[in-house]
Amino acid sequence: MLLPPFEYYRPSNLEQALALLREMGDQAHPLAGGTDLLVNLKLKKLAPKALLDLGGLEELKGSRADGGQVSLGALNSASRLASGGPHVPRLLAMGAGALGSPQVRNRATLGGNLVTARPAADLCLPLLALGARAVLTGPQGSREVSLDGYFQGPGYTVKEPGEILTRVLLEAPKPGQGGGYQKLGLRQALEIALVNVAAHLELEPDGKTIAMARVALGAVAPVPMLAPSAAQVLQGAKADEKSFTAAAQAAAADAKPIDDHRGSAAYRRDMARTLTLRALRQALAQAQGGKEVGA
Amino acid sequence: MSRQFDVIGSRAPRKDAPNKSTGKAQYIEDITFPGELAGALLQSPHAHAKILDIDTSKALALPGVVAVLTAKDVPEVKYGVSPARYDENLFAMDRVRYVGDEIAAVAAVDLPTALKAVELIQVEYEPLPVLLTVEEATANDAPWIHEEYPDNICAQVEQEFGDVEAAFAQCDLIQEGSFFSKRQDGAFIEPNQCVALMGHDGVLTLHSSTQVPHYVQRTVAMVTGLGMSQVRVVKPYVGGGFGPKASATPIDLAASFLAIRTGRPVRMAYTREQVFLFSRARHGFTHHMKIGAKKDGTLMALDHQATLDGGAYSSFGIATVYYAGSLLGGPYKLPNMRYAGRRVFTNKPACGAQRGHGGVIARALFEQQLDIIAEKLGMDPIELRLKNMMETGDVTCNDLAMSSLGMKECIEAVKSGSGWGEKKGKLPPGKGIGMACGFFVSGAGYPIYRSETYHCTIMIKADEDGGGITVYTASAEIGQGSDTTMAMIAAEAVGIPLEQVRVKSGDTDFGIDLGAYSSRTTLMTGHATKEAGDNLKAMVLETLAGELGIQAARLDIKNGLIKISGGPVDFSAIRTGYIKEHRGWQDQPQSQELTFREAARLAYLRRGTLVATGKYKPPVLGGKYKGATVGTSPAYGCSAQVAEVNVDFETGQIIVERVTDAHDCGQAVNLTSVEAQMQGSVSMGLGEALFEEVKFDAQGRIINASLGEYHIPTVMDMPEVRCIVVESGEPNGPFGAKEVGEGAIMPTIPAILNAVRNATGLVLEETPLTPERVYQALKKQKGA
Amino acid sequence: MSKLAISLTVNGVQRQALVEPNQTLTSLLRDELNLTGTKHGCGVGDCGCCTVILDGETVNSCLVLAVQAQGREVMTIEGLAQGIRLHPLQQAFVDHGAIQCGFCTPGMILSAKALLDRTPQPTRAEITKGLSGNLCRCTGYEKIVEAVQDAAGKMERG
């Protein structure tokens, strides 16, 4: 399969990249890992005049902790995230490890996954559940956007054409937190989820009461979504099967699935419930410092 | 069986493996020719439409375009697989019948130009009603997709053996069930590709990724009008086939015409999407069966109906619809069998042959029903199967002769190998164990075209220096290991080590070979190879005997050494002669015994180049009824499998945790390769059972024409597959060998179905067993 | 746009090439450098046939631009054997019958190589995860897994 002709630019810093973007407008498309963009070019879904390779931008690399905040560069690969590390939340590592295949994980980037904004994106759900914010840098400077509200539709986000997603900000992990990630697909690898769920729990110091929770659902709406009712059910509740079951029920009610060739809306809704329950159990085990249950 | 072999039965590494491991092995895409043009196809975007006009002028005007061909530029010759159903034209004459139907081909200086030219061809269509299902195609008011085939019936079969109704009247139990399967794709990893070259000598050479060089040669010759002697087909290494590569493709033909037109090499390749569009893979099947049994478990009769969703052309379809019925004749004693099958044309890509041709879903339903019968009669499923199993020497009601049948041994092997007794009925909730048997031809008894042709011919030539031999065969190594198999058979027959045998294959210049399909190569090409090896050996020994002045009967060759019985013989003159010829060489023969090298050298010196030939066609096989040519084979391979599964009741997801597989291959030529075929079969069967389905939208376009969305198993989806090789010794096979390539897939789907039923109580009637399908069935069961 | 000059290391050798912006790494390796062991399977990252090792990590070379290999180190299947002596992984694939049609083999072996470089003694689960981006339709994978286990053992013993 052939790539259509395009011009190629590799700016060496963010300022240059933004200038090029300003100059070319929507004629230029930023290129990160390429696992999605190059496929879409080959399938003729996109035909930009130029690709702007972000690979040289140091501003988009690395990870650092700053006070209570973690800042992950948009160019972190899924493999790097999957292998964890001091600043990578375990929930994000779990999602990253479930993405595609080793070859895809080695190329796919944090920023790319967020910008591509597929409804079942394996990095988006953990980030949503973790309450992450995206840093969008444009000609006027940077702005921070909560991921809750960032996704607008399949492939569409609040990012303006002149902006580059440069970093992702997260609260630094604290004791008493735990995450769960559940992905249901046909195959065990090389798979886009039929339904996937990420759950994040924060327990009170008593280790039993839920201080805060977020549940993110994938493939049950046009975008990765948070399940607000589930969070509401969980907040202040006891971390037990009863609350989890109620939260799972609420998550299923929040889901807005449709029928497509991969699965029916009814099945997806039921799976949103089942996977939420499992993700919450997994999150609790992690929060209580136990061994992780079946990732 | 305890025949002693020197080469056969070993685990010798495959001859092609080292080059494949280093990237040196060349596939079509790795072989380039000077001055190549790139070809591209224009394919229909409509599933069914009249063609009102084709305007190629803009394409022809594009700089870099060398030729554009449409139907009016090529002879109006219909082709296909079965001569009784030649229903394809290379380029659509006046109508397109599926999304992907070929309309035109372009040759240009490079691929981007060729693809651009294709876009510039303007076609005016008048859409026709699109018939995507059997129901739509057989509705009273449905238009006919082919004028020649009323009511869209491509083929119809009515057979009855014995008296089914009379038998049902004597039965204590009548069990009925239905099954629906979805269309599959072969999903071989190398997409089809070819390069055609027209020489100034008038010979067209087509390099193609095919399973059947001979049939491609015939089709290209017939359609282009060239003589068979003017068409040479060469098959380099091929990246898998599994059936869909068992006929000439439109790109084989289009590249040939473009090469003839331009005088330049023309390369054409399918993208992965085009592989799906060409299809020729497994049909979607609908089966209904009624099985009668006595209360002691004796099977009495089968009444069976099948409908095949064939797609737009016949391809292998007539054979498919016959196989779907005939292969249930065995391996159980079934005295009465009635079959009504039909294959229906629809506006989708044509289906054809795929591993386990025609028989896989029929087998799945039958074996599922056997389990239910066993349960209803209070028998263990294994006991029921053993009770009804045929034995060597039995003949089925439809005249298939079991010249060897290690089925009981296979069943016993998987029973003990899987720990059946400790597990069946004793597993925790969600876990299940199931078994099934299978059965397949070891080579089609007849060629695709009606002919008395040999099915294969072999030449073995001894090196003039005597150091080894080369086997020349037109057979098709497509990954299954046939080159190594032939090398091992030749080595065993001649009596020399495997290292002394080279194989040159896959070239129609080397003779006749019908190709790699219907699990025929080991038995048939193996026979011819053995015969050629035997002949070569006789030539060498005859010459040697004459030279030594003894009876040839006193001589034999073993492990590359000449064995002389009946007392010592002085061969020093021969050795001296050889050593003198090789003065200064490092490897002069020093063994106590004369070597093959010296004897073969001597034979060359006395007779000139030593070439021995072999040939094979099956003996006259049973069956005088209509359709008896499909299913009759010189031998039958058989197998049994036990699958162990875990079913997630909350998601419907099935994980196959273990498979124990026993296959009777008669005699393993290469034990590792036999296991490899068994494991590969299980993986394809597992994919078919759980994941694989080609899906269409309402316009007849494939929704999931990629390996990302059409799910074949990854390594993470495969359980450990424990292989047990059973060797029954097939009298009609070379050194006792018969098939393993396709029979091994037969039990996989039903073993999984039966294991899932064991885990859940569900009788599932539709594959693939996606989580959703299983989940909905579980929900229904709970509600009921 | 005119061709771009790049320089990269391929199998330990410094190479220069002029590439089109829209040329893939697969095409650079196969068409310019004549390293045809890297196969075209699907072109969209679904099958893993075109796997090469880029700076120590496996990638689908169909989804990497040639120009993105500028200054980087690529290992292809041709880089494994020492002369006619096969790499232990290649030898294990040969010995275990892990190769049938062979079209997935180069990518499969490179995925195994990258895995063993990182995890010299992998568990079965680590092996299957490490090879999960390489589709094989012939073998059912069992003999491939055995080959990787065997090679890991032999490489460890040196």
Side-chain angles (χ1 to χ4, degrees):
Chain A
M1 285 183 102
L2 300 176
L3 283 165
F6 49 75
E7 294 168 14
Y8 173 84
Y9 298 95
R10 188 180 162 92
S12 50
N13 58 51
L14 186 55
E15 198 182 331
Q16 269 183 26
L18 291 169
L20 277 165
L21 263 187
R22 192 164 55 236
E23 206 174 292
M24 289 185 282
D26 54 11
Q27 299 277 295
H29 203 299
L31 166 68
T35 53
D36 208 80
L37 176 61
L38 297 183
V39 173
N40 284 331
L41 292 179
K42 288 183 178 189
L43 297 178
K44 298 183 181 158
K45 289 182 182 170
L46 288 172
K49 189 160 163 266
L51 294 191
L52 214 65
D53 188 345
L54 305 180
L57 306 188
E58 289 306 317
E59 297 91 332
L60 274 61
K61 294 181 183 170
S63 57
R64 52 178 183 259
D66 193 1
Q69 185 164 274
V70 168
S71 167
L72 301 173
L75 287 179
N76 274 291
S77 70
S79 297
R80 150 91 180 75
L81 298 173
S83 63
H87 308 307
V88 180
R90 281 165 75 184
L91 178 54
L92 180 57
M94 289 155 83
L99 187 152
S101 69
Q103 292 91 320
V104 174
R105 289 195 285 276
N106 287 337
R107 296 294 290 173
T109 65
L110 178 63
N113 205 255
L114 281 169
V115 169
T116 307
R118 308 316 305 180
D122 287 294
L123 303 186
C124 293
L125 296 188
L127 291 171
L128 260 178
L130 288 162
R133 284 159 297 142
V135 180
L136 303 175
T137 308
Q140 321 301 333
S142 292
R143 57 179 179 133
E144 289 180 20
V145 180
S146 166
L147 288 191
D148 186 11
Y150 161 87
F151 299 106
Q152 299 289 295
Y156 296 96
T157 69
V158 299
K159 185 180 82 65
E160 299 289 339
E163 289 180 320
I164 291 171
L165 194 157
T166 49
R167 304 196 75 84
V168 173
L169 305 177
L170 295 155
E171 276 181 42
K174 287 184 298 203
Q177 291 181 332
Y181 188 69
Q182 293 286 323
K183 176 175 182 174
L184 176 67
L186 285 183
R187 293 192 291 204
Q188 302 299 309
L190 282 168
E191 187 69 338
I192 298 163
L194 285 166
V195 176
N196 48 348
V197 174
H200 172 74
L201 282 184
E202 277 181 40
L203 300 182
E204 298 286 3
D206 67 3
K208 290 172 190 163
T209 315
I210 299 166
M212 197 275 286
R214 287 191 210 91
V215 174
L217 310 175
V220 292
V223 294
M225 62 172 281
L226 281 171
S229 326
Q232 212 169 359
V233 167
L234 292 165
Q235 177 138 21
K238 263 186 78 180
D240 59 14
E241 275 295 298
K242 199 175 150 216
S243 331
F244 289 175
T245 306
Q249 203 64 47
D254 283 344
K256 304 178 193 70
I258 53 159
D259 292 325
D260 70 13
H261 74 90
R262 295 191 193 92
S264 70
Y267 179 66
R268 288 195 156 124
R269 192 179 293 283
D270 284 1
M271 290 310 103
R273 187 187 60 227
T274 298
L275 299 191
T276 298
L277 181 57
R278 290 180 180 185
L280 286 169
R281 287 177 189 150
Q282 206 179 358
L284 177 64
Q286 211 184 76
Q288 293 177 335
K291 282 267 175 201
E292 283 170 38
V293 284
Chain B
M1 293 303 296
S2 58
R3 282 190 61 171
Q4 287 303 305
F5 296 115
D6 296 311
V7 182
I8 299 279
S10 73
R11 290 188 178 274
R14 285 173 55 148
K15 292 235 162 205
D16 54 355
N19 277 343
K20 285 178 173 175
S21 80
T22 57
K24 287 193 175 115
Q26 290 194 306
Y27 301 78
I28 294 270
E29 66 168 5
D30 308 326
I31 304 166
T32 52
F33 299 92
E36 265 188 30
L37 296 174
L41 281 181
L42 172 64
Q43 293 172 278
S44 170
H46 296 280
H48 201 190
K50 267 189 191 157
I51 294 178
L52 303 178
D53 186 51
I54 303 174
D55 181 356
T56 59
S57 54
K58 282 186 182 159
L60 275 164
L62 184 72
V65 170
V66 183
V68 179
L69 300 179
T70 66
K72 67 177 172 46
D73 302 302
V74 298
E76 198 183 320
V77 178
K78 285 200 168 179
Y79 71 98
V81 172
S82 176
R85 291 289 187 288
Y86 281 166
D87 57 7
E88 296 184 60
N89 284 103
L90 172 55
F91 300 122
M93 305 293 293
D94 52 5
R95 183 144 56 134
V96 285
R97 296 180 172 87
Y98 72 98
V99 174
D101 216 347
E102 302 78 18
I103 296 165
V106 173
V109 289
D110 56 27
L111 187 55
T113 307
L115 292 172
K116 186 147 191 213
V118 164
E119 285 178 18
L120 292 174
I121 299 172
Q122 288 168 317
V123 184
E124 204 181 319
Y125 300 97
E126 180 188 311
L128 294 168
V130 174
L131 310 172
L132 293 179
T133 64
V134 165
E135 291 70 31
E136 288 169 4
T138 52
N140 284 331
D141 58 346
W144 298 354
I145 293 172
H146 296 269
E147 296 306 331
E148 303 85 338
Y149 301 106
D151 305 322
N152 295 318
I153 300 297
C154 164
Q156 202 147 12
V157 185
E158 303 273 350
Q159 294 175 333
E160 181 160 4
F161 306 98
D163 186 338
V164 169
E165 289 308 324
F168 278 147
Q170 302 167 36
C171 288
D172 301 304
L173 175 70
I174 304 285
Q175 172 63 30
E176 281 192 73
S178 300
F179 208 87
F180 319 93
S181 74
K182 297 294 164 48
R183 163 193 291 252
Q184 266 191 276
D185 188 76
F188 37 78
I189 302 294
E190 181 209 20
N192 313 64
Q193 187 164 152
C194 64
V195 187
L197 299 91
M198 187 70 201
H200 292 295
D201 57 358
V203 174
L204 176 82
T205 303
L206 177 69
H207 301 258
S208 180
S209 171
T210 181
Q211 300 174 233
V212 287
H214 173 71
Y215 289 130
V216 173
Q217 180 194 26
R218 269 182 66 96
T219 307
V220 169
M222 184 182 86
V223 175
T224 58
L226 293 169
M228 282 289 275
S229 302
Q230 294 163 281
V231 177
R232 175 184 172 210
V233 175
V234 182
K235 176 215 67 70
Y237 284 119
V238 168
F242 311 111
K245 286 184 184 169
S247 58
T249 61
I251 55 175
D252 287 332
L253 292 163
S256 296
F257 277 116
L258 288 168
I260 293 168
R261 168 69 71 97
T262 63
R264 290 171 67 176
V266 178
R267 177 180 301 271
M268 294 186 82
Y270 279 152
T271 61
R272 180 56 60 181
E273 185 187 10
Q274 287 175 307
V275 170
F276 279 88
L277 289 180
F278 177 62
S279 181
R280 313 293 157 134
R282 179 106 64 225
H283 288 69
F285 293 87
T286 302
H287 290 279
H288 183 80
M289 288 180 196
K290 186 172 161 186
I291 304 167
K294 297 269 210 188
K295 59 174 175 261
D296 67 353
T298 305
L299 296 175
M300 296 294 289
L302 165 67
D303 189 15
H304 173 202
Q305 292 100 42
T307 302
L308 283 63
D309 178 351
Y313 296 99
S314 292
S315 179
F316 271 92
I318 309 183
T320 319
V321 71
Y322 275 107
Y323 270 129
S326 66
L327 289 174
L328 290 181
Y332 306 100
K333 289 174 193 150
L334 189 63
N336 306 287
M337 182 166 83
R338 182 162 62 203
Y339 174 56
R342 61 185 180 145
R343 182 180 189 271
V344 176
F345 285 120
T346 52
N347 291 122
K348 293 186 288 193
C351 296
Q354 187 172 328
R355 195 177 219 160
H357 190 187
V360 169
I361 300 301
R363 176 60 54 193
L365 174 58
F366 189 75
E367 295 283 329
Q368 182 195 52
Q369 297 303 307
L370 287 187
D371 260 37
I372 298 171
I373 290 170
E375 187 175 291
K376 286 184 175 172
L377 295 176
M379 294 174 77
D380 185 273
I382 286 183
E383 185 194 344
L384 178 86
R385 285 177 170 85
L386 286 173
K387 179 179 174 60
N388 289 286
M389 194 52 68
M390 293 197 299
E391 287 170 10
T392 298
D394 285 347
V395 177
T396 68
C397 66
N398 54 342
D399 271 341
L400 316 184
M402 302 299 109
S403 40
S404 65
L405 192 73
M407 199 69 248
K408 285 188 175 175
E409 293 82 347
C410 287
I411 293 175
E412 296 295 350
V414 297
K415 186 181 174 185
S416 61
S418 66
W420 178 269
E422 299 86 69
K423 289 174 181 164
K424 174 76 177 171
K426 297 164 195 161
L427 296 172
K431 301 268 180 192
I433 185 166
M435 74 89 61
C437 296
F439 168 78
F440 201 70
V441 300
S442 191
Y446 298 87
I448 289 171
Y449 54 96
R450 196 165 284 213
S451 171
E452 291 181 16
T453 180
Y454 287 100
H455 292 208
C456 36
T457 59
I458 292 284
M459 284 186 296
I460 297 182
K461 177 180 158 301
D463 299 346
E464 281 74 4
D465 197 56
I469 63 172
T470 304
V471 179
Y472 292 87
T473 167
S475 63
E477 169 66 77
I478 57 168
Q480 82 282 41
S482 60
D483 280 1
T484 304
T485 298
M486 293 316 129
M488 292 175 78
I489 288 174
E492 189 72 46
V494 177
I496 56 179
L498 185 56
E499 298 69 45
Q500 284 180 264
V501 183
R502 289 193 303 270
V503 175
K504 295 198 184 296
S505 69
D507 186 332
T508 54
D509 275 1
F510 297 159
I512 290 285
D513 195 289
L514 299 186
Y517 72 103
S518 81
S519 291
R520 57 174 297 284
T521 306
T522 295
L523 188 144
M524 297 192 178
T525 309
H527 251 303
T529 302
K530 180 174 183 298
E531 184 179 289
D534 289 343
N535 288 341
L536 187 91
K537 179 178 181 174
M539 290 163 86
V540 171
L541 293 184
E542 235 169 64
T543 310
L544 181 61
E547 196 79 6
L548 295 173
I550 61 172
Q551 293 289 317
R554 288 180 59 194
L555 297 173
D556 196 5
I557 312 172
K558 203 168 161 53
N559 292 322
L561 297 173
I562 306 298
K563 301 290 171 188
I564 306 173
S565 57
V569 172
D570 178 14
F571 58 76
S572 57
I574 298 170
R575 174 149 297 176
T576 309
Y578 187 91
I579 289 173
K580 279 185 178 163
E581 275 195 306
H582 296 81
R583 192 157 284 156
W585 292 49
Q586 309 281 309
D587 60 343
Q588 302 284 17
Q590 292 173 344
S591 50
Q592 294 290 312
E593 292 152 300
L594 198 62
T595 61
F596 172 78
R597 182 161 40 134
E598 294 161 278
R601 174 68 185 168
L602 176 79
Y604 157 74
L605 294 173
R606 295 293 173 265
R607 313 166 62 135
T609 291
L610 228 56
V611 176
T613 63
K615 63 199 179 304
Y616 179 78
K617 64 178 164 185
V620 175
L621 298 167
K624 294 277 176 273
Y625 58 92
K626 183 168 190 278
T629 53
V630 185
T632 39
S633 171
Y636 296 88
C638 58
S639 47
Q641 285 170 22
V642 169
E644 294 169 66
V645 303
N646 182 63
V647 181
D648 183 336
F649 284 91
E650 292 172 350
T651 63
Q653 188 160 50
I654 296 167
I655 302 289
V656 179
E657 297 184 324
R658 198 168 299 103
V659 172
T660 311
D661 185 2
H663 185 89
D664 170 20
C665 65
Q667 162 69 49
V669 175
N670 185 310
L671 202 49
T672 305
S673 289
V674 170
E675 292 170 352
Q677 285 297 308
M678 293 166 69
Q679 289 164 342
S681 291
V682 169
S683 123
M684 189 175 278
L686 183 142
E688 180 165 8
L690 302 184
F691 311 137
E692 297 182 34
E693 172 180 0
V694 179
K695 299 174 185 175
F696 293 84
D697 69 10
Q699 284 76 47
R701 295 173 299 208
I702 299 177
I703 297 170
N704 59 338
S706 73
L707 294 177
E709 291 274 348
Y710 180 88
H711 301 83
I712 67 170
T714 72
V715 63
M716 290 179 78
D717 300 298
M718 282 306 294
E720 276 186 67
V721 179
R722 184 168 170 219
C723 295
I724 303 153
V725 176
V726 170
E727 297 177 318
S728 61
E730 168 55 50
N732 297 328
F735 298 111
K738 58 183 179 179
E739 74 88 39
V740 59
E742 297 183 78
I745 197 178
M746 288 290 174
T748 308
I749 300 170
I752 292 171
L753 281 171
N754 289 337
V756 172
R757 197 174 81 89
N758 182 239
T760 63
L762 290 174
V763 181
L764 294 163
E765 296 186 329
E766 193 176 6
T767 46
L769 305 175
T770 58
E772 176 162 2
R773 219 164 253 147
V774 175
Y775 178 80
Q776 301 297 6
L778 285 163
K779 221 170 146 181
K780 212 170 133 191
Q781 181 194 42
K782 219 169 153 185
Chain C
M1 197 164 172
S2 54
K3 288 197 174 192
L4 307 165
I6 62 167
S7 113
L8 69 165
T9 306
V10 180
N11 299 329
V13 179
Q14 189 74 27
R15 307 291 296 256
Q16 269 80 38
L18 280 176
V19 299
E20 299 283 352
N22 67 342
Q23 197 168 356
T24 61
L25 179 55
T26 315
S27 164
L28 166 66
L29 295 169
R30 289 181 52 85
D31 305 333
E32 314 294 330
L33 305 180
N34 208 20
L35 296 166
T36 55
T38 304
K39 304 298 177 200
H40 272 127
C42 69
V44 291
D46 289 334
C47 74
C49 284
C50 65
T51 299
V52 300
I53 299 177
L54 181 65
D55 286 347
E57 291 188 325
T58 55
V59 297
N60 290 313
S61 62
C62 69
L63 294 185
V64 178
L65 298 180
V67 61
Q68 290 180 300
Q70 157 64 31
R72 305 183 67 177
E73 205 166 306
V74 178
M75 172 173 269
T76 71
I77 191 66
E78 289 88 350
L80 256 63
Q82 303 277 334
I84 59 163
R85 208 178 82 234
L86 300 182
H87 182 276
L89 266 167
Q90 292 170 318
Q91 191 62 52
F93 270 60
V94 171
D95 293 343
H96 284 265
I99 299 172
Q100 289 191 33
C101 86
F103 206 73
C104 75
T105 305
M108 193 72 80
I109 289 178
L110 288 169
S111 282
K113 164 93 170 50
L115 170 72
L116 296 188
D117 286 347
R118 211 171 45 248
T119 315
Q121 291 303 306
T123 62
R124 187 181 172 98
E126 285 168 331
I127 293 173
T128 59
K129 185 141 196 179
L131 302 180
S132 63
N134 296 81
L135 293 177
C136 168
R137 189 62 152 171
C138 295
T139 63
Y141 304 102
E142 181 66 29
K143 291 187 184 299
I144 292 173
V145 173
E146 285 169 16
V148 176
Q149 284 169 331
D150 182 32
K154 287 191 171 135
M155 287 161 76
E156 181 77 353
R157 290 191 294 275

